[in-house]
């Protein structure tokens, strides 16, 4: 048995048309989902990018931390302070070195001074002088010796012993020249030290003399040796001069006293300083003393510069110019006493007439009794009268009562206190209307 299915015309088309919006809606949902997925992907990628940028920025900031610290204001101040300290230290070090050099030059004298004495013949014994200048210093011990370069001639050998007279002297201040007064040379100088010592050539027998001459014959022929002898004679040992420029010798004078005329190649004087104490250390240990004294000078100069910097900074700082403020004690205004309030001199400008002024609300009216009395809240009788008026009428007093009709009329010095005159015109108009509308207005008239 077959079942017939009846299909209405147009149902398939209707169902197809009903299905199309669903498909479109599903497609739209799918598109929305895809858009959401794409948007989420973009958001994730942007978040990753932002995180990467943040990490890169943090890494860059971390890498630039030393640079920022190096160029910061405290670092710049530190650089400037270091530069100033280094430059000042180098400058003061140079000054300290120069100061030590000057100190060494002035404190440590020459260790050895040699001068040639040119002898004069034909006028008594051979004699001569030599200028020392400022080579010697006071309070310093010296050894003085003479160097005689003598040929070994028969005359010198026959002279035997001879005397050497040496004087250390300084010239006196020059006197004005006068043709009538001629002073001897000895009177123009001051002898500071004097010594006489004997001297003699070294003796050698004829045989020894001949043997030495033959052994050194080639040297004599070539000019490398001469038949002469240098005799050194010590004249002073540890001579010291007192302090003062006039006590330091500036020249030496030598006189050779011999029985026979002698022959000389050259005569000289040698002065050797015998250092002791600090001078000995500074001369024999120059590098160590230079380091020590330069460091001392540099340290003292740095301490002085630091103290000067502190003093200048304290004077030039902004806080140092601030004006010292004196503490201001609070002054309390003294209220005048009751007797001072109502002195006749203070109440000359007030009215002589007593008045009563209305007040706001149900307060008691304010009364003024004139200069004869003080300001009060009213006498007991007036208070009782006002209370009776208020109880009987129920209306507040509105207009002030005048006790004197000719209050200060025609007087130029009249001045009222003005108490109770602060009601404006609008409020007064409203009070006037209330009074007219009141049932007690006729009674009051």
């Amino acid at each position: 048995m077959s079942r017939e299915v009846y299909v209405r015309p147009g149902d398939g088309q209707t169902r197809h048309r009903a299905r199309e919006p669903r498909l479109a809606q599903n497609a739209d949902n799918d598109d929305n989902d895809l858009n959401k997925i794409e948007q989420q992907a973009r958001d994730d990628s942007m978040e990753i990018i932002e995180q990467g940028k943040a990490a890169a920025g943090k890494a860059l900031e971390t890498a630039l931390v030393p640079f920022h610290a190096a160029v910061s204001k405290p670092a710049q101040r530190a650089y400037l302070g270091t530069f100033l300290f280094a430059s000042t230290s180098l400058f003061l070090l140079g000054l300290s070195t120069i100061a030590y050099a000057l100190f060494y030059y002035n404190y440590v004298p020459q260790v050895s001074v040699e001068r040639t004495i040119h002898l004069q013949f034909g006028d008594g014994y051979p004699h001569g002088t030599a200028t020392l200048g400022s080579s010697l210093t006071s309070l310093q011990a010296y050894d003085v010796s003479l160097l005689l370069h003598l040929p070994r001639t028969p005359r010198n050998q026959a002279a035997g012993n001879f005397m050497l007279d040496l004087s250390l002297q300084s010239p006196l201040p020059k006197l004005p020249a006068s043709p009538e007064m001629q002073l001897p040379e000895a009177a123009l100088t001051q002898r500071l030290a004097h010594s006489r010592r004997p001297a003699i050539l070294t003796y050698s027998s004829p045989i020894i003399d001949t043997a030495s001459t033959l052994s050194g014959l080639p040297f004599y022929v070539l000019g490398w040796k001469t038949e002469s002898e240098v005799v050194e004679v010590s004249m002073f040992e540890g001579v010291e001069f007192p302090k003062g420029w006039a006590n330091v010798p500036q020249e030496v004078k030598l006189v050779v006293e011999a029985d026979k005329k002698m022959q000389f190649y050259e005569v000289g004087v040698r002065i050797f300083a015998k250092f002791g104490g600090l001078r000995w250390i500074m001369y024999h240990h120059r590098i160590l003393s230079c380091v020590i004294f330069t460091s001392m000078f540099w340290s003292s100069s740095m301490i002085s510069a630091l103290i000067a910097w502190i003093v200048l900074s304290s004077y030039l700082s902004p806080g140092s110019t601030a004006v010292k403020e004196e503490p201001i004690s609070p002054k309390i205004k003294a209220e005048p006493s009751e007797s001072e309030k109502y002195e006749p001199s203070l109440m000359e400008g007030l009215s002589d007439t007593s008045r009563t002024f209305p007040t706001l609300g149900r307060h008691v009216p304010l009364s003024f009794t004139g200069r004869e009395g003080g300001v009060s809240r009213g006498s007991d009788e007036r208070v009782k009268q006002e209370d009776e008026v208020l109880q009987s009428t129920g209306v507040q007093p509105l207009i002030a009562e005048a006790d004197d009709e000719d209050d200060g009329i025609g007087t130029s010095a009249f001045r009222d206190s003005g108490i109770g005159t602060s009601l404006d015109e609008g409020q007064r108009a409203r009070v006037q209307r209330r009074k007219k509308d009141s049932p007690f207005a006729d009674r009051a008239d």
Side-chain angles (χ1 to χ4, degrees):
M1 192 174 171
S2 62
R3 179 181 298 178
E4 294 181 0
V5 179
Y6 175 75
V7 179
R8 294 181 182 179
D11 288 346
Q13 187 176 1
T14 302
R15 292 178 181 177
H16 180 69
R17 291 179 179 176
R19 191 178 297 174
E20 286 180 357
R22 293 181 181 179
L23 295 175
Q25 185 176 3
N26 293 334
D28 293 338
N29 293 334
D30 294 338
D31 292 339
N32 292 333
D33 293 339
L34 290 175
N35 292 333
K36 290 181 180 180
I37 293 172
E38 292 177 358
Q39 184 66 29
Q40 184 66 29
R42 284 195 297 270
D43 294 341
D44 293 341
S45 61
M46 291 298 295
E47 185 177 358
I48 293 173
I49 293 173
E50 293 295 334
Q51 291 178 357
K53 289 182 179 180
K58 186 178 292 184
L60 180 61
E61 184 178 358
T62 304
L64 292 178
V65 166
F67 178 75
H68 291 316
V71 298
S72 61
K73 292 294 183 180
Q76 293 177 4
R77 289 194 294 268
Y79 299 153
L80 181 60
T82 303
F83 173 75
L84 292 177
F85 178 79
S87 59
T88 305
S89 300
L90 293 177
F91 178 72
L92 293 179
L93 181 61
L95 287 181
S96 301
T97 305
I98 296 174
Y100 174 74
L102 295 176
F103 173 70
Y104 183 89
Y105 177 78
N106 292 322
Y107 186 71
V108 179
Q110 298 183 19
V111 64
S112 179
V113 180
E114 293 186 4
R115 296 290 187 271
T116 300
I117 301 175
H118 302 280
L119 296 178
Q120 304 293 323
F121 294 91
D123 185 13
Y125 295 119
H127 62 277
T129 60
T131 303
L132 299 176
S134 59
S135 301
L136 305 183
T137 184
S138 59
L139 304 178
Q140 173 61 49
Y142 291 96
D143 291 341
V144 183
S145 60
L146 289 173
L147 301 176
L148 307 175
H149 191 192
L150 303 172
R152 296 184 62 83
T153 59
R155 183 182 295 180
N156 286 344
Q157 291 179 353
N161 288 324
F162 56 93
M163 297 298 297
L164 300 174
D165 188 296
L166 184 66
S167 299
L168 301 178
Q169 56 191 15
S170 64
L172 293 174
K174 293 183 179 181
L175 299 175
S178 176
E180 300 177 356
M181 182 176 61
Q182 297 291 335
L183 297 177
E185 183 180 356
L188 298 177
T189 58
Q190 177 184 4
R191 179 182 292 182
L192 301 177
H194 178 256
S195 177
R196 288 170 54 88
R197 300 288 172 91
I200 190 173
L201 286 173
T202 304
Y203 173 78
S204 61
S205 63
I207 298 175
I208 299 299
D209 191 10
T210 304
S212 61
T213 302
L214 292 175
S215 61
L217 187 60
F219 298 100
Y220 291 114
V221 174
L222 294 175
W224 292 352
K225 289 184 67 176
T226 59
E227 293 184 82
S228 62
E229 182 180 355
V230 177
V231 179
E232 183 176 1
V233 182
S234 178
M235 302 299 294
F236 294 98
E237 294 83 14
V239 61
E240 188 174 345
F241 308 102
K243 189 175 181 179
W245 65 271
N247 298 324
V248 179
Q250 298 184 8
E251 64 180 13
V252 294
K253 182 178 180 181
L254 174 64
V255 178
V256 181
E257 300 175 358
D259 295 336
K260 297 181 179 181
K261 292 184 178 180
M262 298 184 64
Q263 300 170 341
F264 298 90
Y265 280 140
E266 186 180 7
V267 178
V269 60
R270 176 184 294 173
I271 303 175
F272 185 79
K274 297 176 64 176
F275 292 143
L278 183 59
R279 287 173 176 169
W280 185 89
I281 296 175
M282 293 177 65
Y283 180 79
H284 292 280
H285 304 280
R286 299 180 183 179
I287 298 177
L288 180 61
S289 60
C290 178
V291 172
I292 293 175
F293 282 96
T294 302
S295 301
M296 292 173 61
F297 291 154
W298 180 78
S299 301
S300 60
S301 59
M302 286 295 293
I303 293 173
S304 301
L306 181 60
I307 294 174
W309 176 266
I310 293 174
V311 172
L312 289 177
S313 61
S314 63
Y315 275 107
L316 298 179
S317 59
S320 61
T321 59
V323 180
K324 184 179 180 181
E325 296 182 356
E326 297 182 356
I328 302 175
S329 57
K331 296 182 178 179
I332 301 175
K333 183 178 180 181
E335 293 291 337
S337 61
E338 295 296 332
S339 60
E340 294 177 353
K341 285 183 180 180
Y342 308 113
E343 288 183 358
S345 60
L346 297 177
M347 300 186 66
E348 290 180 356
L350 299 180
S351 176
D352 296 336
T353 305
S354 300
R355 297 188 179 186
T356 301
F357 301 96
T359 57
L360 298 177
R362 294 183 176 273
H363 296 283
V364 179
L366 184 64
S367 62
F368 175 71
T369 58
R371 287 191 297 178
E372 298 297 332
V375 179
S376 64
R377 287 292 183 178
S379 60
D380 296 338
E381 296 180 357
R382 192 172 299 278
V383 171
K384 291 180 180 181
Q385 293 176 2
E386 295 297 335
D387 290 338
E388 292 176 356
V389 171
L390 291 175
Q391 292 177 4
S392 61
T393 62
V395 178
Q396 299 178 2
L398 300 176
I399 302 175
E401 296 177 4
D403 294 336
D404 193 358
E405 294 296 331
D406 54 349
D407 180 18
I409 298 175
T411 60
S412 60
F414 169 77
R415 287 188 300 171
D416 252 317
S417 62
I419 302 176
T421 59
S422 61
L423 292 176
D424 56 358
E425 297 298 332
Q427 185 176 359
R428 290 180 178 179
R430 288 194 299 271
V431 171
Q432 294 290 343
R433 286 195 299 269
R434 288 176 58 189
K435 182 178 179 183
K436 291 178 180 180
D437 296 337
S438 175
F440 300 99
D442 298 335
R443 186 185 302 176
D445 293 338

